[in-house]
Amino acid sequence: MSTTATATGMPAAPPLPSDLEATMRRMRLPYLRAAAPEVLATAKSQRWDPTEVLRVLLAEEVRGRDEATRAARRKAAGLPAGKTLHSWREHDSSIPSPTQSALATLEWIHRGENLAISGPSGTGKTHFVEALAHKAIDEGMRVSWFTLESLTTAISRAAVDGSISKVLAKITRAELVVVDDIGMLPSGQAAAEAFYRLVDATYERRSLAVTSNIHPAGYDTIMPKTLATAAVDRLLHHAHVIVTEGTSMRLSEATNGHGVIPLT
């Protein structure tokens, strides 16, 4: 087989024999198949031990599958904005740094504990929880992300055909379930019922993280008292409760002219 020139002028690795490529396709080894020509060419020129060739090829397949799984779980989670710990400004947050570090270990998720963050708008509640959710996915966990409105819609649809238990079972396959921005919009009986059902389904089974401009103790001001009391009782039983303070980071950026790229 003759080699072809690459864009860099270096000869490309010879392609795999067709029967070998067909076998890899049948065995569903796409990442190994893609890496094999280059790895085999390198192995031949550097006289690798056969076990090293096998190790490198299998490691590439594992890497590719892990990356694809993370991408699929990130898409399925429905995370809002792609905000991670890399863009999180730790020292601008009113959450104590030791608390941030402890939560970022994700041990609380492994223990099935909850997280409730409340405080004024723009104080980093959603950003921090989303960053934790991204890290959870990176570490092989699943995440389900909702607003109270989207959760209510999902549960209300399931109520029509009697599939609430099925929908909740699907949601709680995730190790971390998030309900973001509770209290930003008015909520009624349907929202209260949906929230209670989720809290009850995750109670002592999965970790539930909630963000709100209202402390959980005040949820009875935005939803029927009986349901709010029952939900909050379960939510806070095994929960880390955090209250953020300060002015809006978004408003501060806008005031300082950092919210947009200057016009030229």
Side-chain angles (χ1 to χ4, degrees):
M1 271 176 263
S2 61
T3 62
T4 58
T6 66
T8 60
M10 297 295 292
L16 296 172
S18 59
D19 59 337
L20 182 56
E21 182 170 358
T23 299
M24 290 181 179
R25 287 183 182 275
R26 183 176 178 183
M27 294 182 69
R28 298 179 180 177
L29 299 171
Y31 309 102
L32 188 155
R33 188 178 77 249
E38 189 67 34
V39 170
L40 292 175
T42 301
K44 182 177 181 180
S45 66
Q46 297 184 6
R47 299 182 180 180
W48 285 5
D49 185 275
T51 56
E52 183 64 18
V53 178
L54 188 59
R55 182 181 296 110
V56 171
L57 287 173
L58 290 176
E60 185 62 21
E61 182 66 26
V62 169
R63 182 206 61 76
R65 290 189 182 194
D66 286 348
E67 188 173 291
T69 297
R70 286 192 294 270
R73 287 182 174 176
R74 217 177 297 280
K75 182 178 180 180
L79 303 181
K83 293 180 178 179
T84 69
L85 288 173
H86 292 294
S87 59
W88 173 248
R89 300 198 301 268
E90 175 184 346
H91 300 293
D92 289 342
S93 172
S94 62
I95 303 172
S97 291
T99 300
Q100 294 183 43
S101 298
L103 290 171
T105 67
L106 306 184
E107 286 299 319
W108 59 283
I109 299 179
H110 295 298
R111 294 192 295 265
E113 297 169 350
N114 296 335
L115 174 63
I117 304 182
S118 60
S121 179
T123 51
K125 303 182 299 294
T126 297
H127 186 158
F128 186 55
V129 173
E130 185 183 357
L132 296 177
H134 275 289
K135 186 175 183 185
I137 292 172
D138 288 339
E139 295 192 7
M141 290 182 263
R142 291 160 293 191
V143 174
S144 293
W145 185 286
F146 297 92
T147 61
L148 184 57
E149 290 69 39
S150 65
L151 175 67
T152 303
T153 298
I155 298 299
S156 297
R157 286 175 178 169
V160 173
D161 59 12
S163 62
I164 290 178
S165 296
K166 183 177 179 180
V167 168
L168 285 171
K170 180 180 179 181
I171 292 171
T172 56
R173 281 202 292 266
E175 286 82 358
L176 174 63
V177 183
V178 180
V179 182
D180 186 35
D181 270 345
I182 296 173
M184 291 300 293
L185 295 173
S187 57
Q189 182 73 20
E193 289 181 8
F195 184 62
Y196 171 77
R197 287 181 183 277
L198 177 63
V199 173
D200 187 55
T202 57
Y203 180 60
E204 295 187 332
R205 299 181 185 91
R206 295 298 194 189
S207 289
L208 177 61
V210 299
T211 72
S212 177
N213 60 330
I214 302 170
H215 190 281
Y219 285 2
D220 60 358
T221 64
I222 59 170
M223 59 182 68
K225 185 177 180 64
T226 300
L227 285 170
T229 299
V232 170
D233 179 64
R234 289 164 174 78
L235 171 68
L236 298 187
H237 185 200
H238 306 294
H240 302 274
V241 181
I242 296 170
V243 178
T244 60
E245 300 173 342
T247 57
S248 169
M249 296 180 189
R250 290 187 289 266
L251 182 58
S252 177
E253 285 189 352
T255 303
N256 293 325
H258 299 146
V260 295
I261 298 174
L263 298 172
T264 57

